[in-house]
Amino acid sequence: MVVRVGRIALPTGIRRALTFWRRSIQARVVVSTLLLSAIVISAVGWLLLQQTRDGLLRHRVDIVVGEVEAEVSETRDHLSAATGTEANASEQRAELIDPIIEAGESRGYGVVLGGPEGDQVTLTDGGAQRTSGLELQSIPASLERHFERVPSSTAWTYTEIVRTLPDGSVEREPGIVVGSQVRLPADGQTYTIYFLFPLTEEHETLGLVTRALLTAAGLLLVLVAGLTWLVTRQVVTPVRMARRVAERLAAGRLQERLLVTGEDDLARLASSFNQMASNLQRQIRQLEELSSVQRRFVSDVSHELRTPLTTVRMAGDVLHDARRDFDPATARAAELLQAELDRFETLLVDLLEISRFDAGAAVLDAEDINLLDVAHRVVDFARPLADQRGVLVVVEQPDRPVRAEADARRVERILRNLVTNAIDHAFPDDPDRPIVVRMAADDHAAAVTVRDRGVGLAPGESAMVFNRFWRSDPARARSSGGTGLGLAISLEDAHLHGGWLQAWGRPGEGAQFRLTLPRRAGTPLRHSPLPLAPVDGARADLAEATEPEVLPSEGILP
């Protein structure tokens, strides 16, 4: 199974590992501590190995140089006691080098005799005498050039000793080559003796030290990982418990509390958390009680007011019907009384509807309806108010039928509130700025937008416009006589359908409200067929024009 992230496809195992890495602070602390510890241990180990290697080599160099100088000094003393006439040069050279080669074989180092110096003859050309099996390429050319001058001081360098074994295989090992010159009395020529000391013991010692350091580093990293895991666990475990309790509190289980053990900082944090949870539980219960009292009060008052309102309505109707027999002042008072009774009755109806929503008693009577028919009914209902204000209301014909399983009465109430609200906030007597009702549908959702070009909404008001009794300008009079509950009821109606009711607005550019309903009742919404920001908005943000419609906005969407 492969999960796609953007344009990159990640295997499920890697995705789970990344998720675990993001969510586990304990894993991040342990891994980070191990990485830092590994870096520090590697640096310290490398430094110790370098110092050990340098110390071993210095010690070995001091020993072999001293040994060579002693051997060469003894050879020089032996040669100085001989005369040039006792033997020919070949015999004297053999008497010089053979004992040294034998001593080298018994003590584990190789010997090469080169020369005579000064005749520009290299070791490979001059048939140098050497320890059996020792290859002349073991002597670096730089050291050989050093002894081309006569006389030259004793010199040494590192090299790779190459030997040919009796079975024909070649053996290579690191070593030190030390050279020193002696003068042969038989021919008066200067010869160079090269001593090649292997570094086998030092190499084995360095390998032993390296293995010991690696073992110690591994054990130290395991110890650091264990200590880090233990320490972080002591901190992370209470935090995880607090997270689980907080999740249960958020789910409504307000009685959940943390277990307090000890008197350390984490225990004090748990005590503070429990105290906070208790205070929140008490305050939430108080708010629930107040909300319940408020809903019950609104419901009771709304019901209780209907009886006196009915009586006053009967009296008002009588006075309104007889107003032509009254004097002008009394007739005007009867007309005002009738208008305010109508408004009061509308307010009572809205309050009763809100109380039903608050009590969870609202029921959806869904059927397959055509939203275009509902929109035409709403526009016909609002046309007298629009004509009075001098506002033109236009319904655009959709390309395809716009049908949805919805409650026709509630959808009509939503659209009626949106259209009358648009008329109320539109600029009067301006036919160039009509109110446009658009609608569209796809296989999953149906949407209706109501666009006006009136005063618009200030930043932040698109979320507040659905609050109960909220008004953008308290000093502005409602020409349509609204109660301040219309949009709040419309939002509840949209939520009852499982739909969205959203608002967009810009000061001076008007506003647009969008109702989105699922084509099938109970189907969750994922998008809307119409954009929230109008395409004719000159300064509409790109983010709003192409706004993501999977996640609703807080305060606007369900």
Side-chain angles (χ1 to χ4, degrees), residues 24-25 126 130 186 204 256 315 383 385 389 400 513 523 536:
S24 176
I25 187 175
R130 62 185 185 275
E204 293 177 353
E256 293 289 335
R383 183 159 284 117
L385 177 62
R389 292 272 296 169
R400 53 182 294 185
F513 287 78
T523 304
D536 58 350

Side-chain angles (χ1 to χ4, degrees), residues 485-500:
L485 294 173
L487 289 179
I489 294 175
S490 298
L491 182 63
E492 295 293 344
D493 282 333
H495 290 178
L496 190 62
H497 285 83
W500 303 339

